Amino acid sequence: MTSFPREHSRRSGITARVRRRLLAYRAIEFSSTHLLGDPGPGEECLLLVHIRQVVGQVRYRMCPECAQGVITAVTIDERFHSTGLGTRALSHLRSRHPGITWRSTLSRRVPRDLLRRMRIPDLTGPSAAPTCL
């Protein structure tokens, strides 16, 4: 029985991560929907779709009058964590709605770290300005 060197297994981990990152950047489509059950104006959801399967979503509210948006939820399928898909989704949201100042209400660590990297401030912090949302 032959044993492989330790570097071999590490390469396969890196290769798998690169493949997932390429998949996240090439095979994911974005679809925006208005949430039907929510009565407030601007309640929307950006769906992340891979081959007719939703693999993530970004929920947000927008007020075009005051040019502010609030991100209320970010969920991404486990297999797409650490692939840059969250960054790509928030960048897509920013490019789709230019001129909107984004904030968040998220408190979970993973989305909070993503929002910090994307420089989207927390709406619940001490420096939060009042908003119509």
Side-chain angles (χ1 to χ4, degrees):
M1 186 171 215
T2 308
S3 67
F4 291 105
R6 196 174 183 109
E7 304 116 29
H8 181 70
S9 63
R10 194 174 329 142
R11 283 189 198 136
S12 66
I14 291 171
T15 304
R17 189 171 39 216
V18 169
R19 284 184 182 167
R20 282 193 312 269
R21 185 173 288 267
L22 285 172
L23 179 68
Y25 274 83
R26 288 187 178 168
I28 302 294
E29 295 179 19
F30 297 110
S31 176
S32 187
T33 63
H34 182 77
L35 299 175
L36 297 176
D38 294 324
E43 295 283 336
E44 297 193 31
C45 181
L46 178 68
L47 297 175
L48 304 126
V49 182
H50 176 251
I51 311 175
R52 296 182 304 195
Q53 179 183 12
V54 176
V55 295
Q57 62 180 326
V58 178
R59 289 180 179 245
Y60 60 97
R61 293 188 313 259
M62 264 186 2
C63 176
E65 293 174 13
C66 67
Q68 291 200 16
V70 176
I71 297 171
T72 58
V74 176
T75 55
I76 297 176
D77 195 18
E78 206 51 51
R79 64 186 163 149
F80 288 103
H81 285 193
S82 300
T83 61
L85 185 57
T87 303
R88 183 172 173 230
L90 293 179
S91 295
H92 178 80
L93 195 61
R94 280 182 167 166
S95 69
R96 187 171 191 162
H97 303 287
I100 299 289
T101 302
W102 292 99
R103 296 177 163 249
S104 81
T105 60
L106 302 176
S107 60
R108 286 184 32 229
R109 189 179 76 73
V110 174
R112 191 178 61 223
D113 291 345
L114 169 66
L115 293 165
R116 188 175 301 132
R117 281 193 309 273
M118 295 292 294
R119 296 195 170 130
I120 297 176
D122 185 8
L123 187 63
T124 60
S127 63
T131 178
C132 69
L133 301 173

